[in-house]
Amino acid sequence: MTGQGVTGHGTAGHGTAGKEEVTGHEQGRHVRVAVVGSGFGGLGAAVRLRREGITDFVVLERAGSVGGAWRDNSYPGCACDVPSHLYSFSFAPNPDWPRTFSGQEHIRAYLEHVTDVFRLRPHIRFDSEVKKMTWDGERLRWDIETSSGNLTADMVVSATGPLSDPKFPDIPGLDTFPGKVFHSARWDHDYDLRGKRVAMIGTGASAIQIVPSIQPDVARLTLFQRTPPWVLPRVDRAISTVERRLHQRLPFTARARRGLLWGIRELQVQAFTKRPHELGVVEQLAKRNMARTIKDPQLRAKLTPDYRIGCKRILLSSDYYPAIARPNVDVVAAGLSEIRGSTLVAADGSEAEADAIVFGTGFHVTDMPIAERVVGAEGRTLAEVWRSGMKSLRGASAPGFPNWMTIIGPNTGLGNSSMILVIESQLNYMVDYVRQLEVLGGRVALDARPSAVTAWNDKVQERMKRTVWSTGGCTSWYLDAEGRNTTIWPGTTTEFRRVTRRVDLGEYQVLRASRPRIPSQSQSRDEKVEAEA
């Protein structure tokens, strides 16, 4: 896909566009499409809708700016573990990435600039948290309640993402802790950690970036580790001025760079999905990486995983192990089980004193809170329907929820590549969905057939059985409460793009309305009169 390039970016101001955002969204408006969220998924959906010639849409954003997870996660050291040139839209290439692995501030600035380049701000309603979305089966529309007013829509695209709502463990005595407590995704920049005793709970992707960033400043850092991660070096460097100018003047060089990064990761997929035993070679590389820094055999034993590499997400860091080896860092090889005042008690009975607790305990991935707010055709919430496990058709459509689709839905996650590739594939599906509605004509909706959803899910789960995520011997956030992997896609991004290229109407029930079409603001006065007649 070709399109307008992004040739540089800084945090964009709102200016006149900000005024349009306020005046363009009045109470009770009806739109053709309502998009929820303004991270990569939501902004990508907005761009594709505009390029399809659809301007009658709104993006509902609960915060005051765009960015999604890259706005909310601003902790020290926050960066992407996917190379920059692969972690950007194909239709908005950025030749000016400053590093091979970009930091949070660069990715957020990129999203701000995409918003401006594609003139999306007039469509965005900021500070508009979705409270409830209810399907009106008689009028074939979604009634949407938000914190800034209500509206209706023919179709809803939910792009809230799985990493939007932080998860806190239920720790007895947490309310008695006298110090500071916050989640990595809600970092308190007003609280000074210098000279403090800090407890870091969790050893996931956020923690391995936070630990080396705060270790030099804190008096003591206690890391509570339930399960050690596999860590490989992150070969990060500044992208030279020469390289950036080359990408600017010869765009095909940036496309070639992106293609190479993509191709390498496609070749890796077989080991994750069909031949997990081949990952043993990578384990040896990870162990040698650890041994170079961690000389204490007892500490090395604590940090060595007992599951197959890849079962949990492989983490990239070149400074995590050096930070852990410093004298002011303690590793507790057990999870936090209780808090007694300022004393933190681990599951193994060991204790540590702390002035501040930072939770790096992940997000509500398999129990997304947005599902509690979506009420379908039978009066049940999506959360109720998904109580026995998330299921959808091609990661997009759930039965009983017509004209509603997710971006990064069930079984669309990746274990080794860029989620932007999956997002763009789902945007292709979204665009064809809209086209099919247009071809069918009139007041119409598509509702995924339960049989089609079951067939798709059964096929995905059957393929999942031999993957490293099922056979690797770990418990990860990819799994739901029943132990099913409802998060990861067990194939290549090429295959996912193929199976989401077109909407198969045979997998949907076509619903027709008995009431006239609700006129949207984009209709002329004569059209409105005709619709109301």
Side-chain angles (χ1 to χ4, degrees):
M1 187 185 305
T2 59
Q4 189 165 3
V6 179
T7 57
H9 53 265
T11 301
H14 296 267
T16 303
K19 295 179 181 178
E20 293 176 5
E21 291 155 17
V22 175
T23 59
H25 304 295
E26 72 284 350
Q27 174 80 3
R29 180 186 179 189
H30 180 80
V31 295
R32 190 170 176 186
V33 182
V35 179
V36 185
S38 67
F40 269 100
L43 295 179
V47 171
R48 292 299 305 276
L49 288 170
R50 280 189 64 102
R51 297 181 72 183
E52 191 68 14
I54 298 171
T55 58
D56 184 20
F57 69 89
V58 64
V59 178
L60 301 172
E61 170 53 57
R62 66 183 178 184
S65 60
V66 302
W70 293 107
R71 175 200 59 235
D72 296 340
N73 288 268
S74 60
Y75 57 79
C78 184
C80 190
D81 60 1
V82 174
S84 302
H85 283 272
L86 194 58
Y87 202 77
S88 48
F89 291 121
S90 65
F91 53 76
N94 177 25
D96 203 32
W97 286 116
R99 302 195 65 84
T100 52
F101 290 89
S102 290
Q104 175 263 346
E105 69 277 16
H106 303 124
I107 298 173
R108 183 179 180 184
Y110 169 78
L111 291 173
E112 289 277 4
H113 200 62
V114 165
T115 303
D116 289 330
V117 165
F118 291 95
R119 302 188 299 277
L120 303 180
R121 293 196 187 277
H123 296 277
I124 303 174
R125 184 190 288 182
F126 289 114
D127 301 311
S128 298
E129 181 177 6
V130 171
K131 300 295 186 181
K132 191 175 184 181
M133 293 183 281
T134 306
W135 176 249
D136 184 336
E138 187 176 3
R139 294 178 173 85
L140 295 191
R141 71 180 189 186
W142 284 97
D143 297 330
I144 306 171
E145 302 173 25
T146 80
S147 57
S148 66
N150 301 337
L151 69 154
T152 59
D154 294 337
M155 178 179 178
V156 170
V157 177
S158 179
T160 58
L163 307 182
S164 57
D165 293 282
K167 177 183 287 186
F168 284 88
D170 185 14
I171 306 295
L174 179 59
D175 57 343
T176 70
F177 183 70
K180 190 69 178 178
V181 177
F182 52 87
H183 194 280
S184 60
R186 300 292 185 269
W187 195 270
D188 189 340
H189 291 278
D190 294 327
Y191 184 76
D192 191 354
L193 291 176
R194 287 178 297 182
K196 302 291 197 310
R197 300 168 300 176
V198 180
M200 179 78 225
I201 315 301
T203 52
S206 299
I208 71 159
Q209 294 178 344
I210 293 170
V211 166
S213 298
I214 68 174
Q215 174 271 320
D217 297 324
V218 302
R220 179 150 295 279
L221 178 59
T222 304
L223 180 63
F224 285 81
Q225 170 193 272
R226 285 195 307 174
T227 309
W230 285 107
V231 181
L232 290 172
R234 188 176 71 155
V235 187
D236 185 28
R237 64 172 179 84
I239 298 178
S240 69
T241 302
V242 173
E243 291 173 274
R244 289 150 76 173
R245 285 177 179 171
L246 180 66
H247 294 331
Q248 290 169 4
R249 295 172 183 175
L250 300 173
F252 77 87
T253 62
R255 291 195 295 271
R257 185 174 191 159
R258 177 185 176 94
L260 178 62
L261 293 168
W262 165 79
I264 291 171
R265 283 155 180 78
E266 289 291 273
L267 293 174
Q268 296 170 348
V269 172
Q270 294 289 334
F272 285 87
T273 60
K274 295 180 180 180
R275 297 187 290 272
H277 63 277
E278 295 181 355
L279 292 167
V281 176
V282 185
E283 283 184 13
Q284 295 306 312
L285 295 175
K287 287 180 179 178
R288 282 201 287 269
N289 174 54
M290 183 195 305
R292 279 194 292 268
T293 305
I294 307 299
K295 304 303 182 183
D296 179 356
Q298 290 185 329
L299 179 57
R300 196 158 58 238
K302 286 183 181 180
L303 298 175
T304 302
D306 61 358
Y307 55 88
R308 175 64 76 195
I309 193 170
C311 185
K312 290 176 176 283
R313 188 174 180 93
I314 300 172
L315 305 183
L316 303 181
S317 176
S318 297
D319 51 12
Y320 178 63
Y321 287 142
I324 283 181
R326 301 300 297 171
N328 67 331
V329 178
D330 295 316
V331 177
V332 178
L336 178 61
S337 65
E338 184 183 357
I339 298 176
R340 302 170 188 158
S342 61
T343 302
L344 280 61
V345 184
D348 63 1
S350 59
E351 299 181 357
E353 297 294 316
D355 303 307
I357 302 175
V358 179
F359 283 98
T361 46
F363 300 85
H364 289 276
V365 175
T366 60
D367 57 342
M368 293 186 287
I370 189 68
E372 297 279 0
R373 308 179 186 191
V374 185
V375 181
E378 297 179 359
R380 301 169 66 200
T381 67
L382 185 60
E384 290 173 320
V385 173
W386 279 353
R387 189 152 291 156
S388 60
M390 296 193 303
K391 299 177 184 178
S392 68
L393 177 60
R394 303 180 189 274
S397 304
F401 297 82
N403 284 8
W404 187 91
M405 69 172 292
T406 55
I407 305 296
I408 314 184
N411 289 115
T412 60
L414 298 176
N416 74 313
S417 192
S418 172
M419 281 304 301
I420 311 306
L421 302 172
V422 165
I423 288 172
E424 289 199 35
S425 295
Q426 291 201 284
L427 296 181
N428 291 338
Y429 195 77
M430 176 200 73
V431 167
D432 197 56
Y433 196 114
V434 173
R435 289 172 182 166
Q436 296 293 344
L437 293 176
E438 194 67 29
V439 169
L440 290 168
R443 288 299 288 162
V444 64
L446 297 177
D447 188 10
R449 295 183 182 276
S451 58
V453 176
T454 298
W456 173 263
N457 186 70
D458 287 349
K459 184 191 304 182
V460 169
Q461 292 302 320
E462 182 62 31
R463 292 178 60 179
M464 196 69 70
K465 290 179 181 178
R466 59 178 175 174
T467 68
V468 68
W469 307 299
S470 297
T471 65
C474 75
T475 300
S476 72
W477 58 265
Y478 301 149
L479 309 181
D480 64 15
E482 303 299 321
R484 287 185 295 262
N485 190 328
T486 57
T487 305
I488 297 292
W489 166 246
T492 64
T493 61
T494 301
E495 182 187 4
F496 189 78
R497 175 156 293 203
R498 177 176 57 80
V499 299
T500 56
R501 191 174 297 279
R502 296 284 183 270
V503 169
D504 179 359
L505 286 181
E507 296 180 327
Y508 289 87
Q509 300 177 62
V510 179
L511 308 180
R512 294 281 182 181
S514 58
R515 306 265 315 240
R517 184 184 182 92
I518 298 172
S520 66
Q521 283 199 322
S522 60
Q523 290 177 290
S524 67
R525 182 186 301 272
D526 290 340
E527 287 175 314
K528 290 181 179 181
V529 170
E530 181 181 348
E532 293 167 357

